[in-house]
Amino acid sequence: MLVIENVSKKFAGHNGIINTLEDVNLTIARGEFISLVGPSGCGKSTLLNIIAGLEQASGGRVLKEGAEVREAGPDRVVMFQEAALFPWLKVIDNVEYGMKISGIPKKERREIAFHYLKMVHLTRFASSYPHELSGGMRQRVALARALAMDSDILLMDEPFAALDSQTRSILHIELQEIWRATGKTIIFVTHNVEEAVLLADRVVVMAANPGRIKKEFGVKLARPRDIDNVDLAFVAGQVMQDLKEEVEKVAKAEFDSDWSLKKDTFLPNPDSNLGNGI
Ligand SMILES: Nc1ncnc2c1ncn2[C@@H]1O[C@H](COP(=O)(O)OP(=O)(O)O)[C@@H](O)[C@H]1O
Ligand SMILES: [Mg+2]
């Protein structure tokens, strides 16, 4: 379904060129659920944006069903941490928005929108405005809107990170059901290891500087899964071990680069008698 082949990405930063991604290779089957975890700044969002076609790779390529991805398309829909709904549109019109742009007739798109609103259990709020909803409900509207685009691939960038844990658990159940019902291929970025294991067929751990794939864990637990399950906790513990190592490396690199600065560059020098004569 999706082949990520030697993908690299460089950005020009203040301190020169940053190798955000280097030689990333990943093959994803149709209908697979992949979780992507890694230390902050390792390039998870960048990789997702390259798959979405919102960002161009500096090297390598992404193939979808054998054809190279060159731009954004309705077959790859992205869902972000913030719902980004239009505040002046009712819930139902927000869900319909993408379909309206693609020219789907009113009656048909209303039916589709209701179908997906039902899937996220929000039909009762179809005529509400986003500000009348809780954060969790807004994210469910965003999910319904993404589903209504009927893409084969759903790219989710920390979609539940800003929600409280009870709301998140409800959305985990809903997302598992939706995935089963729709057979979509999902790539789900999260920094929550339990969430990653709960949802995925495969958890991919990334390392930073440069961003690359470190390890993959197949998750063979029966579904539906429960976050308190002992076997799930065991797999999560294994993933956590690898992830922790990478997070610590990033923290150490940041710490070292701060302390390797010359003492007199900007930190007050203890020998300079600052405050003499006051
Ligand atoms: N538009 C950009 N311009 C310059 N550098 C960027 C840009 N986007 C990302 N980066 C660099 O790539 C790194 C990885 O970013 P990102 O993909 O957002 O990481 P993650 O999602 O894993 O936290 C950042 O630390 C930053 O240095
Ligand atoms: Mg990110």
Side-chain angles (χ1 to χ4, degrees):
M1 175 69 152
L2 201 61
V3 180
I4 296 155
E5 210 176 70
N6 303 325
V7 163
S8 66
K9 179 71 183 175
K10 296 180 202 300
F11 283 112
H14 288 298
N15 302 320
I17 302 286
I18 307 164
N19 283 319
T20 294
L21 293 173
E22 198 170 85
D23 247 347
V24 174
N25 286 285
L26 192 62
T27 301
I28 299 166
R30 179 178 292 280
E32 208 178 359
F33 198 123
I34 301 283
S35 287
L36 205 53
V37 297
S40 155
C42 75
K44 303 180 293 294
S45 297
T46 303
L47 182 58
L48 218 62
N49 289 339
I50 290 172
I51 297 170
L54 299 170
E55 195 96 68
Q56 293 292 315
S58 315
R61 54 190 194 156
V62 175
L63 300 168
K64 190 195 160 228
E65 289 163 326
E68 193 169 339
V69 165
R70 292 180 191 279
E71 54 190 11
D75 57 331
R76 286 156 284 125
V77 167
V78 194
M79 189 180 155
F80 300 100
Q81 184 171 331
E82 295 302 329
L85 303 174
F86 297 117
W88 61 87
L89 291 182
K90 289 178 183 161
V91 162
I92 188 77
D93 296 322
N94 264 290
V95 177
E96 278 182 37
Y97 186 78
M99 292 187 279
K100 190 175 173 181
I101 298 297
S102 355
I104 296 174
K106 178 87 189 162
K107 188 168 170 291
E108 190 183 339
R109 64 173 195 256
R110 184 123 299 194
E111 269 172 31
I112 297 171
F114 263 107
H115 173 74
Y116 288 107
L117 266 188
K118 197 169 171 196
M119 224 177 231
V120 298
H121 308 295
L122 279 181
T123 45
R124 224 158 44 86
F125 295 89
S127 302
S128 304
Y129 285 92
H131 75 268
E132 299 174 273
L133 308 180
S134 68
M137 287 155 88
R138 282 203 288 271
Q139 219 37 350
R140 278 149 72 192
V141 176
L143 180 55
R145 181 180 58 183
L147 293 168
M149 294 301 291
D150 199 28
S151 61
D152 324 323
I153 300 177
L154 189 54
L155 304 164
M156 306 179 84
D157 196 357
E158 308 204 27
F160 308 150
L163 305 177
D164 62 86
S165 63
Q166 287 92 337
T167 307
R168 205 180 308 139
S169 317
I170 294 168
L171 280 163
H172 287 156
I173 295 166
E174 283 183 5
L175 183 60
Q176 288 183 81
E177 279 171 8
I178 287 165
W179 175 66
R180 191 184 50 78
T182 58
K184 277 191 201 297
T185 308
I186 299 183
I187 307 179
F188 187 98
V189 173
T190 175
H191 57 254
N192 181 326
V193 171
E194 278 85 15
E195 177 176 79
V197 176
L198 176 81
L199 296 170
D201 294 315
R202 193 149 46 109
V203 178
V204 176
V205 180
M206 286 180 69
N209 304 320
R212 61 203 184 276
I213 290 175
K214 185 187 184 195
K215 207 162 173 177
E216 294 184 19
F217 293 84
V219 186
K220 303 218 157 38
L221 307 169
R223 298 175 192 267
R225 296 175 184 161
D226 178 7
I227 207 143
D228 297 320
N229 179 279
V230 204
D231 297 324
L232 196 148
F234 179 75
V235 180
Q238 287 181 315
V239 175
M240 184 58 96
Q241 232 168 6
D242 268 280
L243 179 59
K244 206 167 147 231
E245 222 176 270
E246 296 313 314
V247 171
E248 278 167 6
K249 266 186 218 163
V250 170
K252 185 169 183 313
E254 280 168 5
F255 183 89
D256 287 351
S257 84
D258 259 2
W259 289 106
S260 65
L261 291 171
K262 272 216 198 99
K263 240 198 241 154
D264 51 2
T265 44
F266 65 84
L267 296 170
N269 184 340
D271 302 327
S272 65
N273 295 325
L274 273 178
N276 250 4
I278 293 175

